[in-house]
Amino acid sequence: MVLLVMAFLKAWNAACNTTASETSIIIIPSKQTFLVNPIAFRGPCKATNITFLIQGRLVAPNSPKVWKGLDPSQWLAFRGVCGLNIAGNGKIDGKGSGWWNQSCRDHPGLALNILSCNESILRNLHFTNSPQTHILVIGSYGINIKNVRIEAPETSPNTDGIHIHASRNVMISDSIIGTGDDCVSIGDYTSKVYISSIKCGPGHGISIGSLGRGGNFVKVENIHVSKVYFKGTTNGVRIKTWQVGKGYIQGITFEDMYFNSVQNPIIIDQNYCNVRDACKEQKTGVHVTDVVYNNMSGTSITALAINLNCSQSVACTGILMKSIELRSAQTGHKVISSCRNAHGFAFGVVQPDSCLEI
Ligand SMILES: *[C@@H]1O[C@H](CO)[C@@H](O)[C@H](O)[C@H]1NC(C)=O
Ligand SMILES: *[C@@H]1O[C@H](CO)[C@@H](O)[C@H](O)[C@H]1NC(C)=O
Ligand SMILES: *[C@@H]1O[C@H](CO)[C@@H](O)[C@H](O)[C@H]1NC(C)=O
Ligand SMILES: *[C@@H]1O[C@H](CO)[C@@H](O)[C@H](O)[C@H]1NC(C)=O
Ligand SMILES: *[C@@H]1O[C@H](CO)[C@@H](O)[C@H](O)[C@H]1NC(C)=O
Ligand SMILES: *[C@@H]1O[C@H](CO)[C@@H](O)[C@H](O)[C@H]1NC(C)=O
């Protein structure tokens, strides 16, 4: 095993600041394992197109002890770089298992951090066992994540597959994600996210939120999620907000999905609270509006296949349901839908029957 931080940074500085017009390429060779301490690849760069080709295997320091004295905020980070192309068929192993039974406040952050990067691509890589989120996209515009595989045990806490925050124009496609938390989660100040052709499970499904925790003004819009196959997840498509939040979530489409033994295939929870019954009824709420659920089928392992649990103060509006056929994973059992302050229309087949109010 080779310890590789200085060499990485040297290669980065050269690639980043080459003035040659052609692409700069950094290659991490195949059939080798590199132990990498926390490292940040920073821009701005003179090169307009940098390819980071990961063919080998990158592993994080493998126990909390080894992390002592190292920057805990991230493991691998790209900051302020445009035109990045991170590719290769290598593996990125966050060695997170030593952290999972500790309080998450003390965890080092994420496996791969894409911070303030524009017009960049991440593809073909295999991520595993991050201490927390595997891929974080934050403050970035024009990110294309394609054909990645992300794996961590179902029991590993907070190991989201991909989390997007304060970003615009993010595409995620053709990927397989199974972890102990959300396959993909969408955070605040995010718009124009297109997610398609994803296999999700195990894990907590695809989630918008949780949002509004600190009572802030939430702004999430134009999210399109399609062609997702969920297997054994706790949720399918979920929107969750805290009652103390303000602002809005609007222009959301979920379509062409199949649920295989999912606990809550379709769920909106506007009364999200991390401690059961600890959050009091508030006069505020994040307005959830213009949400389409179209062409979804499959099985629920709970009776409550559709649960639209909206705020008493700020109801959900403009919800449209069309071509939905959910049944129980157990033969002979029924599924139902439940609505609370949820307004909109149902068209065509909707099974279990829609409970939306006009
Ligand atoms: C590249 O050059 C820019 C502009 O001269 C400078 O700000 C930046 O720190 C350099 N980056 C690296 C990684 O050497
Ligand atoms: C950057 O380089 C990659 C790989 O050579 C190429 O596919 C891509 O089109 C280039 N992007 C730009 C903006 O030149
Ligand atoms: C990325 O794009 C945004 C919006 O166009 C811009 O404000 C920001 O400065 C860009 N970042 C970089 C690193 O170029
Ligand atoms: C966490 O797991 C590690 C390795 O399995 C073990 O050595 C450690 O004692 C555990 N810590 C806690 C707080 O349970
Ligand atoms: C409905 O979704 C399934 C995927 O679950 C897809 O195969 C099918 O083509 C979609 N049907 C329509 C009419 O778009
Ligand atoms: C809706 O949310 C309220 C407040 O958290 C909770 O008490 C109730 O059980 C939820 N209803 C359903 C059907 O989940």
Side-chain angles (χ1 to χ4, degrees), residues 119-190:
E119 307 310 328
S120 293
I121 302 171
L122 170 65
R123 59 192 164 128
N124 304 348
L125 288 160
H126 184 179
F127 293 82
T128 181
N129 296 341
S130 176
Q132 294 199 58
T133 300
H134 286 77
I135 299 170
L136 176 72
V137 175
I138 180 164
S140 298
Y141 300 79
I143 302 295
N144 186 349
I145 300 175
K146 199 176 163 76
N147 193 33
V148 296
R149 205 163 136 203
I150 304 173
E151 280 174 299
E154 188 168 6
T155 51
S156 58
N158 302 307
T159 52
D160 282 357
I162 302 172
H163 181 70
I164 305 164
H165 187 88
S167 296
R168 196 169 67 216
N169 278 321
V170 179
M171 282 178 57
I172 303 171
S173 63
D174 305 297
S175 294
I176 299 173
I177 306 172
T179 69
D181 207 319
D182 297 330
C183 289
V184 180
S185 62
I186 292 170
D188 210 352
Y189 313 113
T190 299

Side-chain angles (χ1 to χ4, degrees), residues 198 200 204-206 225 227-238 254-267 293-301 305-306 321-329 351-352:
I198 306 290
C200 169
H204 297 178
I206 292 190
V225 186
K227 300 198 184 86
V228 184
Y229 174 75
F230 293 94
K231 181 156 193 243
T233 51
T234 55
N235 304 289
V237 288
R238 172 168 61 162
F254 296 114
E255 62 187 354
D256 304 340
M257 313 212 166
Y258 189 83
F259 304 97
N260 181 348
S261 301
V262 169
Q263 275 176 42
N264 304 289
I266 296 176
I267 180 166
Y293 297 93
N294 176 38
N295 184 28
M296 302 181 157
S297 59
T299 58
S300 173
I301 61 170
I306 300 177
M321 295 205 151
K322 185 170 171 274
S323 307
I324 300 190
E325 286 185 79
L326 300 173
R327 58 202 152 78
S328 173
Q351 168 59 39

Side-chain angles (χ1 to χ4, degrees), residues 36-340:
V36 184
N37 280 345
I39 184 168
F41 301 103
R42 291 170 198 274
C45 293
K46 292 199 181 94
T48 53
N49 192 342
I50 304 175
T51 293
F52 213 98
L53 199 59
I54 303 171
Q55 307 282 35
R57 182 186 171 105
L58 303 183
V59 302
N62 78 349
S63 79
K65 272 195 250 70
V66 184
W67 273 89
K68 276 225 170 75
L70 301 174
D71 174 4
S73 62
Q74 95 273 321
W75 177 35
L76 307 172
F78 290 90
R79 286 178 196 237
V81 186
C82 291
L84 252 183
N85 176 19
I86 309 169
N89 50 14
K91 191 162 178 182
I92 297 186
D93 184 347
K95 292 278 176 190
S97 63
W99 298 97
W100 294 334
N101 60 358
Q102 306 201 357
S103 161
C104 63
R105 269 194 311 277
D106 311 326
H107 285 204
L110 322 124
L112 184 78
N113 234 340
I114 298 178
L115 262 123
S116 306
C117 291
N118 293 351
E119 307 310 328
S120 293
I121 302 171
L122 170 65
R123 59 192 164 128
N124 304 348
L125 288 160
H126 184 179
F127 293 82
T128 181
N129 296 341
S130 176
Q132 294 199 58
T133 300
H134 286 77
I135 299 170
L136 176 72
V137 175
I138 180 164
S140 298
Y141 300 79
I143 302 295
N144 186 349
I145 300 175
K146 199 176 163 76
N147 193 33
V148 296
R149 205 163 136 203
I150 304 173
E151 280 174 299
E154 188 168 6
T155 51
S156 58
N158 302 307
T159 52
D160 282 357
I162 302 172
H163 181 70
I164 305 164
H165 187 88
S167 296
R168 196 169 67 216
N169 278 321
V170 179
M171 282 178 57
I172 303 171
S173 63
D174 305 297
S175 294
I176 299 173
I177 306 172
T179 69
D181 207 319
D182 297 330
C183 289
V184 180
S185 62
I186 292 170
D188 210 352
Y189 313 113
T190 299
S191 60
K192 295 194 180 168
V193 176
Y194 308 92
I195 300 171
S196 73
S197 301
I198 306 290
K199 222 171 129 183
C200 169
H204 297 178
I206 292 190
S207 199
I208 297 178
S210 66
L211 292 166
R213 182 179 191 155
N216 54 303
F217 192 92
V218 168
K219 228 176 132 176
V220 170
E221 58 193 329
N222 300 330
I223 311 292
H224 190 269
V225 186
S226 66
K227 300 198 184 86
V228 184
Y229 174 75
F230 293 94
K231 181 156 193 243
T233 51
T234 55
N235 304 289
V237 288
R238 172 168 61 162
I239 295 175
K240 57 174 172 170
T241 65
W242 294 72
Q243 286 190 48
V244 290
K246 304 174 201 64
Y248 57 85
I249 296 174
Q250 68 182 19
I252 314 295
T253 300
F254 296 114
E255 62 187 354
D256 304 340
M257 313 212 166
Y258 189 83
F259 304 97
N260 181 348
S261 301
V262 169
Q263 275 176 42
N264 304 289
I266 296 176
I267 180 166
I268 296 178
D269 183 0
Q270 281 205 285
N271 305 294
Y272 184 70
C273 188
N274 54 350
V275 182
R276 210 183 170 84
D277 301 326
C279 304
K280 294 204 183 73
E281 191 75 40
Q282 303 282 333
K283 290 213 164 57
T284 49
V286 177
H287 187 199
V288 174
T289 183
D290 187 8
V291 183
V292 175
Y293 297 93
N294 176 38
N295 184 28
M296 302 181 157
S297 59
T299 58
S300 173
I301 61 170
T302 65
L304 196 52
I306 300 177
N307 185 2
L308 308 179
N309 196 346
C310 297
S311 151
Q312 214 167 334
S313 322
V314 186
C316 298
T317 57
I319 296 181
L320 198 141
M321 295 205 151
K322 185 170 171 274
S323 307
I324 300 190
E325 286 185 79
L326 300 173
R327 58 202 152 78
S328 173
Q330 292 163 278
T331 44
H333 288 240
K334 279 209 163 108
V335 288
I336 56 166
S337 54
S338 159
C339 293
R340 192 169 167 256

